Amino acid sequence: MVLFTYTVSYFFFITQLLNVIDGASSSLEHLSVTSDGREELEKTALLCIRMIEVALEKQEQFVDMFRSVPQQSAVMVSPLEDLLLSVNPQSSSPDYLLKIMKFISHLHAGAELNLSVIKILCLVCQSVTVQRHLVNLLTANQLEINEPEDRNEKDEQELGKEFIDEKSYGVSQIRNAVRQKCTEINIAFTTAPVSYLAHFLMGYELRKPVAKTNLQDPGKLGQLVHDSDEQLVAEGVLGASKTCLHAVLDILNRGVDTHHGPSCVTETSKFAELAYQLIYSLCANKDTATPTLRYLRTSHDFLYRHLQHLPFKNLVSMDTVEGQTPVPMLTAVSQQSWLLKTAAIELRMTAQGRQRSHAQRLLGLLMANHLLRQS
């Protein structure tokens, strides 16, 4: 009887928690930044999201401890991600995860709220079932994530601060933590055997083989073609205005055409390391290699523009100022390592494809840098 009462109470608590999240997610869509009660509603949503986040972080340890007690071994314990896949009585569909993710799409949502949502996404998507469910939800419900121009400018000014501790509540630090966490998620999912969510977030084709994706710049839809169901579909990034890949490339390319080189190498060194690793992971993956390298080559001339600034230790020494925390040399070396590994894959692919001019151009740049360092 005690166990039954506990189970009912716990289920009621989770239900109430999810109801609050559902209501807050829907209400914030219609409230402006100056609306009465918005700040309190967002704080309430943050506390509820944090409870979900902490529960997901600790549930494995709890389940192990629970099952270690002999008299409890026969009791079935459902993981929280299964409860998040249950039907929402408010909408009559299993959209709790979508409601949680929608907080990211709100125009003025706080950085702390975004970070907690990203952490939840990382934790629940360890399950392939959840990944498939979430991709289906996101495909059916397009999320429009638009940021005001002044917020983008503010982020650029604050990129110099690396994330240290979320409890410091520094807005710039938390925003950088969100970027790093998003990049880590994509790296983890890209290297996983099944990566539905990574392919979706990075803008790869889901309705046909990933290798046939035609990546394009934001705002440019591909040519309309007939798919197997005789419906017109747009090639490229599923009609999305911007993907995680575009966002990563935008940050990596800032300052790349100046003599100072990519600003993120020194201003957000940890993020730059993760970003170069993500690019390498996409180029090393058999499914995403061809479309990724083609896009980097034709739309951004990415490798040539970045390789000309090697070695990165010169950029680090150039931008080091008194009173500023220096970039760890190991981080700079790691950034350079991921970039060179990507270049090696590109050289192999272009050589196999008999693209001599492009291969010679990259080799000429690398050899020139090598000879310059020796002179």
Side-chain angles (χ1 to χ4, degrees):
M1 182 64 184
V2 174
L3 180 60
F4 176 76
T5 304
Y6 169 78
T7 304
V8 171
S9 301
Y10 177 74
F11 181 76
F12 177 76
F13 175 73
I14 288 292
T15 302
Q16 290 297 99
L17 204 63
L18 293 175
N19 285 340
V20 172
I21 291 173
D22 183 3
S25 179
S26 301
S27 299
L28 286 173
E29 290 181 357
H30 308 291
L31 295 177
S32 66
V33 69
T34 57
S35 298
D36 293 337
R38 180 189 172 90
E39 184 178 351
E40 289 73 17
L41 181 61
E42 189 171 316
K43 286 181 179 179
T44 302
L46 175 60
L47 291 173
C48 293
I49 291 290
R50 279 274 173 86
M51 281 190 273
I52 298 290
E53 175 196 335
V54 173
L56 285 167
E57 288 177 344
K58 298 184 179 298
Q59 73 170 352
E60 185 175 353
Q61 181 183 2
F62 169 77
V63 170
D64 290 341
M65 293 175 62
F66 186 81
R67 288 175 177 168
S68 66
V69 181
Q71 59 266 33
Q72 305 290 4
S73 59
V75 179
M76 293 185 63
V77 181
S78 298
L80 182 54
E81 54 264 30
D82 287 354
L83 297 177
L84 294 176
L85 295 180
S86 60
V87 175
N88 179 0
Q90 303 296 327
S91 61
S92 301
S93 63
D95 61 356
Y96 282 123
L97 282 175
L98 181 64
K99 293 288 186 179
I100 291 174
M101 284 199 66
K102 275 191 173 182
F103 284 109
I104 303 176
S105 69
H106 297 322
L107 196 60
H108 301 286
E112 300 166 64
L113 187 56
N114 287 338
L115 180 59
S116 287
V117 170
I118 293 298
K119 286 183 176 180
I120 289 174
L121 181 65
C122 183
L123 291 165
V124 299
C125 286
Q126 304 300 320
S127 165
V128 175
T129 303
V130 175
Q131 280 197 47
R132 189 182 292 111
H133 171 80
L134 199 52
V135 168
N136 290 337
L137 280 177
L138 292 173
T139 305
N141 302 271
Q142 294 292 334
L143 288 183
E144 293 292 336
I145 302 178
N146 300 310
E147 291 186 302
E149 293 182 4
D150 59 338
R151 179 165 171 177
N152 288 334
E153 292 173 1
K154 185 177 181 181
D155 273 354
E156 288 181 10
Q157 295 169 2
E158 295 177 340
L159 277 174
K161 297 181 181 179
E162 286 287 352
F163 174 69
I164 300 172
D165 179 10
E166 66 180 278
K167 293 181 181 178
S168 65
Y169 296 112
V171 175
S172 178
Q173 292 174 326
I174 297 176
R175 285 179 183 167
N176 276 301
V178 172
R179 294 188 185 97
Q180 290 183 27
K181 201 67 181 178
C182 287
T183 310
E184 289 172 356
I185 289 173
N186 281 304
I187 292 171
F189 293 161
T190 300
T191 55
V194 180
S195 50
Y196 298 110
L197 189 61
H199 291 161
F200 177 83
L201 293 175
M202 304 300 286
Y204 293 93
E205 184 61 72
L206 299 179
R207 301 182 64 181
K208 59 184 180 182
V210 174
K212 294 185 178 181
T213 299
N214 180 23
L215 294 173
Q216 299 177 46
D217 288 334
K220 296 180 181 179
L221 294 181
Q223 183 180 2
L224 291 177
V225 296
H226 287 277
D227 67 359
S228 57
D229 297 326
E230 296 300 323
Q231 295 177 336
L232 284 175
V233 296
E235 289 188 321
V237 290
L238 298 177
S241 58
K242 198 170 188 178
T243 67
C244 290
L245 178 59
H246 296 130
V248 167
L249 290 174
D250 283 349
I251 298 177
L252 284 177
N253 286 334
R254 288 173 185 168
V256 72
D257 294 322
T258 67
H259 72 281
H260 289 289
S263 58
C264 62
V265 169
T266 54
E267 292 179 354
T268 51
S269 56
K270 182 58 181 176
F271 172 80
E273 179 185 357
L274 291 170
Y276 282 123
Q277 183 181 354
L278 175 60
I279 298 298
Y280 165 77
S281 299
L282 293 171
C283 294
N285 184 285
K286 62 182 179 62
D287 294 322
T288 57
T290 300
T292 304
L293 287 168
R294 180 174 60 241
Y295 176 65
L296 294 177
R297 186 187 315 126
T298 58
S299 297
H300 292 266
D301 197 14
F302 178 82
L303 288 171
Y304 188 89
R305 293 164 69 199
H306 284 258
L307 288 171
Q308 64 185 344
H309 294 290
L310 296 184
F312 283 158
K313 66 179 183 180
N314 293 342
L315 301 181
V316 172
S317 60
M318 183 191 309
D319 285 2
T320 300
V321 296
E322 187 176 354
Q324 180 180 355
T325 304
V327 176
M329 190 54 65
L330 185 60
T331 301
V333 171
S334 181
Q335 295 168 355
Q336 183 171 299
S337 174
W338 293 118
L339 181 60
L340 287 171
K341 286 180 179 180
T342 307
I345 296 174
E346 170 72 338
L347 286 171
R348 186 190 65 191
M349 296 282 283
T350 52
Q352 289 177 347
R354 297 184 179 182
Q355 297 174 279
R356 290 182 56 188
S357 60
H358 186 74
Q360 287 176 345
R361 184 166 174 257
L362 282 182
L363 284 172
L365 176 63
L366 291 171
M367 292 301 296
N369 286 342
H370 175 69
L371 294 174
L372 184 63
R373 288 196 299 272
Q374 286 189 333
S375 61

